[in-house]
Amino acid sequence: MSTTPMSPGFDEIHILWTSEGMSCDGDSVSITAATLPSIEDVILGAIPGLPKVHLHNKVLAYETGAPFLEPFWAAARGELEPFIFVVEGSIPNENINGEGYWSAMGNDENGDPKPLTRWIDELAPKAWAVVAAGTCATYGGIHAMAGNPTGCMGLADYLGYNFRSAGGLPIVNVPGCPVQPDNFMETLLWCLYMAAGLSPPIPLDDMLRPTWLFGKTVHEGCDRAAYYEQGDFAKDYNSPKCLVKVGCWGPVVNCNVTKRGWMDGLGGCPNVGGICIGCTMPGFPDKFMPFMDEPPGGSLSSAIVSVYGPFIRRMRAITNKGANHEPKWRHNRPELTTGYDPRFTPSSSS
Ligand code: SF4
Ligand code: SF4
């Protein structure tokens, strides 16, 4: 997907972050672990070239109540700009809320709870950029699974995949349950550099994900991939081998945590013994359940690999045995057996 080139060159920008969608606030908590860059570096102005950033996120705010909500109200009135609108949490369908509401943030002009969807209606078109944080906000996530009573959906389901912000940008989706800390902060950094007029448009795929983060599978970066190739599978979780037979969906899931790790390069589900349950994917969770069974595609591909994998393992064991010995010319005997040929020395050729 192409995004419109923008070079606004803002000196200051607000980030209005609502986590009032159906969520556990886990994405807000997750980004506190980011290091590339950290949220502190962004807010405290430690990164050259960025606009001054004012973050309004209830988990990280000092203010509560009306003082916390004031920037949101001002933005809704059109009195605060520019701002990036970050949405965390699944969007409930307020058309089917009976006589109440599913999710609200603060009160409206009548003193009634103001539904999240009204905030989105008012803020998203005024925002310079709109970012969905985590799988709940991007695609609906757990709250949107079959049988749910709220009719939950992702932000692009609500606003439309063709939505464009005031800055002319599509929604930027950063999925993950929760979002991987550096994936989110790196994406935000790109948006902030765009706001400063210092970066090209952010490249997004057709599900509005940053292409450089979600273009490869878990399997392609997994520490255990060599075991898979050799047809060597774990039978339980107390094993360093490939986890596909105990439920890992890594071969068909777009996620980079096996490459990137989770915190400061450490972790990344299968790398540290957790099966991939596809939490970044638009089809999560329904298309990956039941979680602990061997995935259907995994069973076929692991059956094929089982035919040649043991042969590869045996051949590699032979090569490994040879490579584990030093060459025979390394010795302490009084003769040189390295194959050295004096004809090629400078003195003999002159
Ligand atoms: S553990 Fe999962 S991601 Fe890793 S090699 Fe096995 S199937 Fe692939
Ligand atoms: S490896 Fe799988 S379960 Fe882990 S974060 Fe990525 S998509 Fe989610």
Side-chain angles (χ1 to χ4, degrees):
M1 152 136 352
S2 66
T3 50
T4 312
M6 304 296 303
S7 45
F10 298 131
D11 295 328
E12 293 198 26
I13 196 163
H14 293 259
I15 297 175
L16 298 180
W17 183 315
T18 176
S19 56
E20 301 311 326
M22 303 296 200
S23 85
C24 62
D25 286 0
D27 304 298
S28 286
V29 175
S30 184
I31 62 142
T32 63
T35 56
L36 296 170
S38 71
I39 187 77
E40 295 91 333
D41 285 346
V42 170
I43 293 169
L44 297 176
I47 301 175
L50 291 192
K52 183 170 175 48
V53 172
H54 305 276
L55 175 68
H56 309 279
N57 170 306
K58 76 173 186 208
V59 176
L60 304 172
Y62 291 105
E63 309 87 5
T64 57
F68 170 74
L69 284 171
E70 183 49 45
F72 291 84
W73 285 328
R77 291 192 301 265
E79 296 169 2
L80 180 144
E81 61 179 19
F83 68 93
I84 296 174
F85 186 36
V86 178
V87 176
E88 175 178 357
S90 199
I91 319 301
N93 186 346
E94 297 291 352
N95 294 314
I96 53 166
N97 65 12
E99 295 177 0
Y101 63 94
W102 294 120
S103 180
M105 182 168 83
N107 294 334
D108 63 15
E109 48 288 332
N110 302 317
D112 295 324
K114 182 169 175 175
L116 169 71
T117 47
R118 228 192 108 192
W119 283 110
I120 295 173
D121 294 343
E122 292 175 3
L123 294 179
K126 296 185 179 73
W128 180 75
V130 176
V131 180
T135 298
C136 296
T138 52
Y139 307 123
I142 289 170
H143 316 273
M145 66 188 294
N148 83 79
T150 60
C152 264
M153 66 196 95
L155 189 60
D157 300 318
Y158 182 77
L159 290 172
Y161 272 76
N162 293 325
F163 169 87
R164 292 293 181 272
S165 67
L169 296 164
I171 296 167
V172 178
N173 278 339
V174 196
C177 189
V179 70
Q180 200 278 351
D182 291 319
N183 279 353
F184 183 83
M185 288 306 299
E186 198 172 279
T187 304
L188 184 64
L189 189 69
W190 192 308
C191 293
L192 290 169
Y193 271 127
M194 278 199 295
L198 294 176
S199 75
I202 187 165
L204 304 175
D205 67 17
D206 58 355
M207 296 308 289
L208 306 177
R209 297 168 289 202
T211 51
W212 78 97
L213 296 176
F214 295 94
K216 295 278 188 286
T217 65
V218 175
H219 190 67
E220 285 167 327
C222 183
D223 284 357
R224 299 173 186 243
Y227 287 106
Y228 181 98
E229 186 208 23
Q230 293 178 175
D232 210 356
F233 302 112
K235 295 186 175 57
D236 58 40
Y237 296 102
N238 300 312
S239 166
K241 298 178 180 176
C242 170
L243 297 166
V244 73
K245 287 192 175 293
V246 289
C248 184
W249 283 84
V252 292
V253 168
N254 297 80
C255 174
N256 64 349
V257 306
T258 39
K259 280 270 192 207
R260 167 158 248 174
W262 195 266
M263 255 169 81
D264 216 7
L266 299 176
C269 309
N271 289 351
V272 286
I275 58 171
C276 172
I277 58 173
C279 81
T280 57
M281 298 296 276
F284 177 81
D286 304 72
K287 293 187 179 170
F288 300 91
M289 294 169 70
F291 290 138
M292 314 305 262
D293 283 0
E294 184 178 0
S299 119
L300 178 62
S301 63
S302 63
I304 294 167
V305 146
S306 295
V307 174
Y308 64 79
F311 172 72
I312 290 175
R313 214 181 327 156
R314 274 195 299 280
M315 297 306 287
R316 287 204 179 134
I318 294 169
T319 309
N320 176 260
K321 199 171 168 191
N324 262 325
H325 290 89
E326 288 191 52
K328 58 184 183 324
W329 59 82
R330 297 181 194 163
H331 55 73
N332 194 27
R333 297 194 301 275
E335 74 268 19
L336 184 63
T337 58
T338 61
Y340 169 68
D341 187 341
R343 280 180 305 162
F344 299 114
T345 60
S347 57
S348 64
S349 61
S350 61

Short mmCIF file of all heavy atoms in Angstrom, two decimals, residues 218-219 222 224-225 228 242-244 248 250-251 270, ligand 1:
data_model
loop_
_atom_site.label_atom_id
_atom_site.label_comp_id
_atom_site.label_asym_id
_atom_site.label_seq_id
_atom_site.Cartn_x
_atom_site.Cartn_y
_atom_site.Cartn_z
N VAL A 218 7.33 -16.08 11.76
CA VAL A 218 8.00 -16.45 13.01
C VAL A 218 9.04 -17.53 12.75
O VAL A 218 10.17 -17.48 13.21
CB VAL A 218 6.94 -16.98 14.02
CG1 VAL A 218 7.60 -17.49 15.29
CG2 VAL A 218 5.92 -15.90 14.33
N HIS A 219 8.65 -18.51 11.95
CA HIS A 219 9.47 -19.67 11.62
C HIS A 219 10.78 -19.25 10.95
O HIS A 219 11.85 -19.82 11.24
CB HIS A 219 8.64 -20.53 10.67
CG HIS A 219 9.18 -21.89 10.37
ND1 HIS A 219 9.27 -22.88 11.29
CD2 HIS A 219 9.61 -22.42 9.20
CE1 HIS A 219 9.75 -23.98 10.71
NE2 HIS A 219 9.96 -23.71 9.45
N CYS A 222 13.20 -18.24 13.65
CA CYS A 222 13.17 -18.98 14.92
C CYS A 222 14.50 -19.66 15.24
O CYS A 222 15.14 -20.28 14.38
CB CYS A 222 12.07 -20.03 14.86
SG CYS A 222 11.89 -20.94 16.42
N ARG A 224 14.76 -22.30 16.72
CA ARG A 224 14.56 -23.75 16.66
C ARG A 224 14.39 -24.27 15.23
O ARG A 224 14.10 -25.46 15.03
CB ARG A 224 13.32 -24.13 17.48
CG ARG A 224 13.45 -23.75 18.95
CD ARG A 224 12.15 -23.96 19.71
NE ARG A 224 12.29 -23.45 21.07
CZ ARG A 224 12.22 -24.17 22.18
NH1 ARG A 224 11.95 -25.46 22.11
NH2 ARG A 224 12.38 -23.63 23.36
N ALA A 225 14.53 -23.39 14.23
CA ALA A 225 14.23 -23.79 12.85
C ALA A 225 15.13 -24.93 12.36
O ALA A 225 14.71 -25.76 11.55
CB ALA A 225 14.37 -22.58 11.93
N TYR A 228 13.54 -28.13 13.19
CA TYR A 228 12.43 -28.41 12.27
C TYR A 228 12.97 -29.03 10.99
O TYR A 228 12.49 -30.07 10.53
CB TYR A 228 11.69 -27.10 11.95
CG TYR A 228 10.51 -27.28 11.02
CD1 TYR A 228 9.22 -27.38 11.52
CD2 TYR A 228 10.69 -27.37 9.64
CE1 TYR A 228 8.14 -27.55 10.69
CE2 TYR A 228 9.62 -27.55 8.79
CZ TYR A 228 8.35 -27.63 9.32
OH TYR A 228 7.27 -27.80 8.48
N CYS A 242 12.06 -28.23 18.01
CA CYS A 242 10.96 -27.53 17.34
C CYS A 242 9.62 -27.86 18.00
O CYS A 242 9.32 -29.02 18.28
CB CYS A 242 10.93 -27.92 15.87
SG CYS A 242 9.45 -27.34 15.04
N LEU A 243 8.79 -26.84 18.19
CA LEU A 243 7.55 -26.98 18.96
C LEU A 243 6.32 -27.21 18.09
O LEU A 243 5.19 -27.14 18.58
CB LEU A 243 7.33 -25.71 19.79
CG LEU A 243 8.41 -25.42 20.85
CD1 LEU A 243 8.28 -23.98 21.36
CD2 LEU A 243 8.32 -26.40 22.00
N VAL A 244 6.51 -27.49 16.81
CA VAL A 244 5.34 -27.54 15.92
C VAL A 244 4.35 -28.63 16.34
O VAL A 244 3.14 -28.46 16.21
CB VAL A 244 5.77 -27.69 14.44
CG1 VAL A 244 6.28 -29.08 14.13
CG2 VAL A 244 4.63 -27.32 13.51
N CYS A 248 2.84 -25.12 17.75
CA CYS A 248 3.40 -23.85 17.25
C CYS A 248 2.90 -23.55 15.82
O CYS A 248 3.05 -24.36 14.92
CB CYS A 248 4.93 -23.90 17.26
SG CYS A 248 5.65 -22.32 16.77
N GLY A 250 4.10 -21.00 14.12
CA GLY A 250 5.12 -20.11 13.57
C GLY A 250 5.31 -20.15 12.05
O GLY A 250 5.55 -19.11 11.44
N PRO A 251 5.21 -21.32 11.38
CA PRO A 251 5.47 -21.33 9.94
C PRO A 251 4.50 -20.48 9.12
O PRO A 251 4.80 -20.12 7.99
CB PRO A 251 5.33 -22.82 9.58
CG PRO A 251 5.71 -23.54 10.83
CD PRO A 251 5.16 -22.69 11.94
N PRO A 270 8.74 -18.71 20.58
CA PRO A 270 9.35 -20.05 20.44
C PRO A 270 10.81 -20.08 20.89
O PRO A 270 11.28 -21.12 21.36
CB PRO A 270 9.22 -20.36 18.95
CG PRO A 270 8.14 -19.48 18.46
CD PRO A 270 8.23 -18.23 19.29
S1 SF4 B 1 9.21 -23.81 17.14
FE1 SF4 B 1 7.64 -22.99 15.72
S2 SF4 B 1 8.60 -21.23 14.68
FE2 SF4 B 1 10.24 -22.44 15.69
S3 SF4 B 1 11.01 -23.87 14.11
FE3 SF4 B 1 9.39 -24.97 15.22
S4 SF4 B 1 7.50 -24.53 14.05
FE4 SF4 B 1 9.02 -23.03 13.39
#
